[in-house]
Every structure is written in C-alpha cells, then in structure tokens.
Amino acid sequence: MTTPPAPFIELHDASQTFVGVFIGPELWARTKDAILPILEAAGQEPTDAVSPAAPPAEPLADFETLLAYWDFAYPPAYDLACAQCGAKTEDWRKDEPRKFRLTSANLGGQTSFCCLACRSKIIKRHFKKHVSVDCLPFVDKS
Ligand SMILES: [Zn+2]
C-alpha cells in the first residue's frame, strides 16, 4: 500500500525552526506557472533593510537634532582623529570612502564614532566651552 506524497511539506529543522517549504513534483508542475512569477518578484525586492549582516544605520537624525539645538559657545566641527591608528579627517561626513562611522549622538552633546580602519571608539563630548575627545581601542568581546 502506498500513500500518495503530500502535495507540499513545511520543513523544520531539529529545533523546530521553520526553514522552508518542499513542493512535490506533481503539485509544482500544476502550480509552477502561477507561483514562479510571485516568487521571482518577491526575490527581487530589496532586502538590505532586513539583512542581519548589515551594520546598523548611522543615527544621522540624532546628529541633525543635536545640530538643530546646538547651544555651545563654538560652531559644530566635523574633524575627527583616531589616536590608535592615526586615521583622521577634516569632515567625517564627506570622506569617500568613509573613515569614521557615527554610532551615536545625543542632545547632551555626546557623539560617538567608530574608526573604520581599526574599530576604535572615538567619543567626542561637547561641553559649553570646549570639546573633549577620547579614543578607546577596539575590544573583541568574544
Ligand atoms: Zn583607528
């Protein structure tokens, strides 16, 4: 006695995580023309936003907010220097390719950057009349 193959099977791995769908050859033959265009169209949609490998977006809006409420005794400056590897820029926003990435900015005047050459963390704190800059070497947390 034979049981007909299931038309399609949802596949799970050992930990019951859903990994995909198997469609049997007969069902696929009958539905391929309808399904294939849908699959192809869905596959072409940009996936950058959900890619787990992509670094988090720079919080540029936070930086813009800091600039909008700027009340320090000096104008904003965009120069950065890495004390660890010597990388530096006159304007971190304009390097091509970029040398530093903004990692955080807040209304209190603290901004943080990552040196893309050596992954050091550069913390630039804005006080009423002066700026302090710290450069912390990259620490592998693993
Ligand atoms: Zn560096």
Side-chain angles (χ1 to χ4, degrees):
M1 173 182 138
T2 58
T3 48
F8 68 92
I9 302 168
E10 293 189 350
L11 302 173
H12 296 80
D13 68 11
S15 59
Q16 296 306 307
T17 304
F18 179 59
V19 293
V21 176
F22 172 81
I23 299 174
E26 289 176 22
L27 180 65
W28 183 242
R30 291 205 310 267
T31 59
K32 182 170 126 180
D33 289 345
I35 292 174
L36 213 49
I38 298 171
L39 293 179
E40 285 172 350
Q44 286 165 1
E45 285 169 9
T47 54
D48 293 354
V50 293
S51 168
E58 286 184 284
L60 291 172
D62 292 346
F63 190 80
E64 293 296 326
T65 304
L66 172 62
L67 292 181
Y69 291 92
W70 194 265
D71 63 351
F72 303 104
Y74 46 85
Y78 306 99
D79 62 300
L80 280 177
C82 175
Q84 296 297 321
C85 75
K88 60 182 175 182
T89 180
E90 292 303 308
D91 189 336
W92 57 267
R93 303 167 302 168
K94 292 184 181 158
D95 294 321
E96 197 61 54
R98 292 283 294 276
K99 296 176 185 169
F100 300 93
R101 268 181 64 86
L102 179 71
T103 55
S104 74
N106 69 37
L107 269 177
Q110 178 166 322
T111 53
S112 301
F113 299 86
C114 178
C115 172
L116 296 181
C118 72
R119 297 205 272 173
S120 288
K121 181 176 184 174
I122 297 158
I123 303 168
K124 201 169 180 181
R125 294 184 185 89
H126 299 85
F127 296 98
K128 261 289 177 247
K129 292 180 181 166
H130 76 285
V131 179
S132 84
V133 180
D134 285 311
C135 183
L136 309 174
F138 174 72
V139 179
D140 193 343
K141 296 191 181 96
S142 65

